[in-house]
């Protein structure tokens, strides 16, 4: 990841949420970012709101995470979902690079995809072992 907060993934530019927030604060120091917890159970859902100085909602963003689905979500699912929701709301307001998803979200999705692929390989291996256990033992 670059110090500029711009990350190129497969030829597309993604901004980190930190970069989006920094740009937003620079351009609109009197505007606010608010978040609301919609669910804090196993499925964590957050809605973020970007409001102008008068409190008018200009954009929103939603995000959800499953507790325990990744190493980060074992301890920080709420925080992870809040960061993603804020990043999406800022993107809808025009602070997104060339993509709506943030660099953080894309990196997380890539990690989750790799974990799922490993789990599927392990399942296939275990299934093959169960299917051929007699010949393996012999």
């Amino acid at each position: 990841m670059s110090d500029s907060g711009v990350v190129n993934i497969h030829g597309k530019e993604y901004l980190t949420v930190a970069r989006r927030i920094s740009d937003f604060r620079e351009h609109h120091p009197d505007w606010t970012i608010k978040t609301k917890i919609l669910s804090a159970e196993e499925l964590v859902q957050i809605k973020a709101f970007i409001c102008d100085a008068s409190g008018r909602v200009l954009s929103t963003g939603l995000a959800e995470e499953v507790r325990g689905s990744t190493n980060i979500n074992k301890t920080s699912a709420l925080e992870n979902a809040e960061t993603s929701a804020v990043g999406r709301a800022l993107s809808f307001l025009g602070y997104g690079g060339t993509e709506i998803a943030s660099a953080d979200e894309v990196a997380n999705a890539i990690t989750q995809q790799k974990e799922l692929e490993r789990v599927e390989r392990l399942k296939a291996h275990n299934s093959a072992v169960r299917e051929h256990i007699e010949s393996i033992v012999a």
Side-chain angles (χ1 to χ4, degrees):
M1 191 175 311
S2 76
D3 291 336
S4 68
V6 179
V7 180
N8 188 300
I9 301 173
H10 303 299
K12 295 180 180 179
E13 284 188 351
Y14 296 87
L15 298 182
T16 62
V17 175
R19 167 65 186 273
R20 292 175 187 195
I21 292 170
S22 177
D23 291 351
F24 169 76
R25 294 282 184 219
E26 182 180 323
H27 295 122
H28 305 288
D30 55 340
W31 290 12
T32 58
I33 300 171
K34 298 178 183 180
T35 59
K36 179 179 180 180
I37 299 171
L38 303 178
S39 172
E41 303 303 318
E42 184 176 340
L43 181 64
V44 176
Q45 297 174 319
I46 303 286
K47 185 170 187 177
F49 305 83
I50 308 299
C51 304
D52 65 14
S54 68
R56 183 172 60 114
V57 175
L58 301 176
S59 72
T60 63
L62 292 165
E64 65 182 24
E65 295 290 342
V66 177
R67 289 191 186 278
S69 62
T70 64
N71 282 335
I72 260 190
N73 285 342
K74 287 179 183 174
T75 59
S76 305
L78 189 70
E79 297 89 336
N80 197 16
E82 183 179 46
T83 300
S84 292
V86 168
R88 294 182 68 75
L90 287 169
S91 183
F92 292 136
L93 193 64
Y95 293 93
T98 62
E99 302 299 317
I100 298 294
S102 69
D104 314 69
E105 287 178 297
V106 173
N108 187 32
I110 290 169
T111 298
Q112 286 181 9
Q113 183 178 9
K114 287 179 182 176
E115 286 181 29
L116 285 174
E117 289 170 358
R118 282 193 293 269
V119 167
E120 289 304 315
R121 282 195 306 273
L122 183 59
K123 284 181 181 178
H125 174 266
N126 289 345
S127 178
V129 168
R130 274 194 305 277
E131 193 174 310
H132 302 288
I133 191 67
E134 291 177 11
S135 62
I136 293 171
V137 172

